[in-house]
Amino acid sequence: MADKYTNEGLIAWSEYVLNGLKVEIEKIDHIVDYSYLRDKILIPSLSDALSNKYITDVEHSILKLTVSKKTQEIQASDIKELYITKTSSEISRIIRSLIDKRMLIPISERARKYVISFGSNYLLRSVLKSLDNNGFLPLNN
């Protein structure tokens, strides 16, 4: 219609473009809202990674706790609260394993607080799946 250079055609084309922009802005609003990101993308990604056996039950519990915390940071004492029967050395090994798999990264060099990293191949597939399920990836025609 816009190719005909009529007022109606230009209005229809403008509405089409503006509606597309509106949809993309709404996506941005959702993804920057941490509660939406956590509940619709991150936690489902972790559940998917667990169900596909990309991560273990222990890794899932620790990573889910990390994204659920207000600060999104975790330290050994948080894991100790989750697994009270584990020794400090066992917790250190779990943290080291998560770091080696690039699922946790220190908040700064030599820090003993960690944040989740979704750059790991173990988690990235599931994050992409959650993003796709929530309409954040382009359509595959």
Side-chain angles (χ1 to χ4, degrees):
M1 289 180 88
D3 293 343
K4 295 179 183 176
Y5 299 104
T6 64
N7 285 341
E8 294 82 19
L10 291 173
I11 289 171
W13 177 82
S14 297
E15 286 176 349
Y16 171 78
V17 170
L18 292 173
N19 280 328
L21 286 172
K22 177 183 174 268
V23 168
E24 295 305 312
I25 290 169
E26 287 171 349
K27 287 181 191 178
I28 293 167
D29 284 344
H30 285 311
I31 207 79
V32 297
D33 173 11
Y34 187 71
S35 61
Y36 178 91
L37 177 67
R38 179 191 61 226
D39 298 340
K40 299 288 186 180
I41 307 296
L42 302 181
I43 291 176
S45 296
L46 294 173
S47 297
D48 180 70
L50 177 63
S51 69
N52 286 308
K53 301 193 183 326
Y54 302 145
I55 61 175
T56 67
D57 289 328
V58 171
E59 291 167 341
H60 176 264
S61 298
I62 293 168
L63 296 172
K64 186 175 178 183
L65 175 64
T66 306
V67 299
S68 298
K69 289 180 63 100
K70 186 176 182 180
T71 61
Q72 296 110 48
E73 296 175 355
I74 197 166
Q75 55 190 5
S77 61
D78 298 316
I79 298 170
K80 182 67 175 168
E81 289 175 17
L82 203 58
Y83 296 102
I84 55 174
T85 59
K86 295 208 181 287
T87 65
S88 295
S89 60
E90 289 174 310
I91 290 171
S92 292
R93 280 193 293 277
I94 292 169
I95 292 171
R96 172 55 43 207
S97 173
L98 287 165
I99 292 169
D100 290 346
K101 292 179 179 179
R102 295 179 32 225
M103 289 189 245
L104 283 182
I105 55 173
I107 60 170
S108 62
E109 192 175 325
R110 299 168 96 37
R112 294 188 180 260
K113 288 185 177 185
Y114 309 91
V115 294
I116 195 166
S117 170
F118 285 94
S120 159
N121 285 337
Y122 298 101
L123 302 176
L124 187 57
R125 292 177 222 161
S126 296
V127 169
L128 290 173
K129 185 176 178 181
S130 287
L131 287 169
D132 190 33
N133 290 342
N134 286 279
F136 286 95
L137 299 182
L139 298 175
N140 295 324
N141 291 334

